[in-house]
Amino acid sequence: MPLYKDFSDDVATVLVWEYDENEMLDPVELLEPENQYKILGYHPNKIAEVLMVRKMLKTVLPDHKILYRENGEPYLFPQDQHISVSHSFPLAALAISKNKVGIDLEKRKEKIRYIRHKFILHEDIFIDNNEEVDFLTAIWCVKEALYKIHHSKHWSLKKHYDVLPFELHANFTVKSRVYDLENEDFFKARISFFDNYCLAIVD
């Protein structure tokens, strides 16, 4: 069954699909004509991710399609709802909501330790280094999800996105902040750890 996980609530539909080599993923059937050129030269795994997202969309909103703004941001047409997309092969995730929504799906990898300095600032005060990889993965996911709904090309994950202190659980909620010298906005993120993956949902 390719539908792997369902994290939907009363605010957003959030689905995770798992690649199955026996599943039919036909680009002509699933991919919008406007986007057929985008997959030229893609690695087969990347093509599968793109098509899995389309298959999820067809199960929820069969009359909608995904298009892209000039900056590469995906959006739904008709534009009556918001979406967010994330991939980490063999999984792909899709969120749909009446409100702005951002998701990020990441596989748990030890090498995240080596880029800690690129996205961690204030979070250093509460990260337990005995569980460093899980803390870093959760924080990275939240900041990436935040970036998808509240971003600027001039901002960095380290300097403009904060995740407030939390303790690790399989499923939990954290508070987070996006800020610059003039403004700040606060958000809540749902975090789920499952099968060596982490999923963050900001809505």
Side-chain angles (χ1 to χ4, degrees), residues 7-54:
F7 294 92
S8 305
D9 62 9
D10 57 358
V11 177
T13 297
V14 183
L15 305 176
V16 178
W17 204 266
E18 182 179 29
Y19 176 71
D20 181 344
E21 63 182 9
N22 297 314
E23 180 187 10
M24 179 64 70
L25 293 172
D26 184 353
V28 175
E29 175 190 349
L30 294 173
L31 193 60
E32 306 82 9
E34 300 93 327
N35 294 323
Q36 290 287 337
Y37 74 96
K38 283 183 171 290
I39 64 172
L40 297 176
Y42 273 17
H43 187 280
N45 290 357
K46 179 67 173 176
I47 294 174
E49 291 172 347
V50 170
L51 297 178
M52 285 191 290
V53 167
R54 269 60 184 186

Side-chain angles (χ1 to χ4, degrees), residues 41-131:
Y42 273 17
H43 187 280
N45 290 357
K46 179 67 173 176
I47 294 174
E49 291 172 347
V50 170
L51 297 178
M52 285 191 290
V53 167
R54 269 60 184 186
K55 198 148 191 180
M56 281 187 280
L57 178 64
K58 286 187 178 296
T59 68
V60 182
L61 297 172
D63 296 325
H64 286 62
K65 59 184 178 180
I66 297 174
L67 300 177
Y68 296 90
R69 307 189 196 282
E70 289 185 5
N71 64 0
E73 180 184 358
Y75 69 93
L76 275 183
F77 184 84
Q79 296 185 60
D80 54 354
Q81 298 200 60
H82 298 274
I83 64 164
S84 185
V85 172
S86 188
H87 323 101
S88 185
F89 192 82
L91 302 184
L94 171 70
I96 303 171
S97 177
K98 289 290 186 182
N99 305 319
K100 279 191 173 184
V101 60
I103 61 172
D104 191 59
L105 174 68
E106 299 287 342
K107 193 168 187 178
R108 185 186 183 279
K109 296 178 180 179
E110 296 289 326
K111 65 182 182 181
I112 196 171
R113 291 189 173 108
Y114 304 117
I115 61 168
R116 174 175 176 153
H117 63 283
K118 294 184 177 181
F119 68 98
I120 295 297
L121 186 60
H122 302 114
E123 296 85 5
D124 260 330
I125 64 173
F126 66 84
I127 291 175
D128 181 349
N129 287 330
N130 292 321
E131 299 179 285

